[in-house]
Structures are given as structure tokens and as C-alpha cells.
Amino acid sequence: MAPGLHARAREAAYDDARAKAAQYARLSGHELGRLVSLSEDAAACRRPAPSAGDASGAGLSAVPVASGEIRAAATVTAVYELD
């Protein structure tokens, strides 16, 4: 995956988390305070495993791959203080 693509996914996830936190603060009659913590879900990318009869993995090259789009996803957890 292109490094810039993952960085943009992270930025979008952060912006979304902050916007939701600001909305919840407003709905509860508070102001959004400082960011207390931020973490990212670092789930590993899964790759196809070779079948039992194909220990070398050479058979995987026969699997067709469709051209088209590449997607990146990032999940962040942000904790803010409320003022």
C-alpha cells in the first residue's frame, strides 16, 4: 500500500474522531477540551496462505487479481477532556 494513502486514511480517521467528539461535547452542554490520548488500531494486513499441498506458495500466482482500486483504512481512538 502506498505510504501516502495510509497517511491520508489516518488523517481522515482523526478528523472524523475529533468531529464526533466535538458533537458529543456540544450535545452534552460542554466544550471540547484537550486531547488526552490517541491510539491507532494496528491490525496486520492479511495475505493468502498457501494450501497444504502447496507449501511453496507458488500456486498463489495463478489466482487472478482484478485491477481497479486500492483501499486504505485506519481506526483511531481519541479521548478528549470536556470543559
Side-chain angles (χ1 to χ4, degrees):
M1 178 182 332
L5 185 60
H6 201 159
R8 289 194 307 267
R10 252 191 228 113
E11 187 172 337
Y14 171 80
D15 290 344
D16 185 54
R18 188 177 193 300
K20 286 178 182 176
Q23 182 182 22
Y24 282 122
R26 182 179 46 80
L27 291 171
S28 64
H30 294 88
E31 295 287 323
L32 188 62
R34 73 177 184 90
L35 178 65
V36 175
S37 70
L38 181 68
S39 62
E40 178 180 6
D41 180 9
C45 182
R46 299 186 185 260
R47 295 184 179 182
S51 66
D54 185 19
S56 69
L60 293 177
S61 62
V63 176
V65 177
S67 63
E69 60 187 52
I70 297 173
R71 294 182 185 204
T75 302
V76 297
T77 301
V79 177
Y80 289 89
E81 288 182 342
L82 294 179
D83 293 332

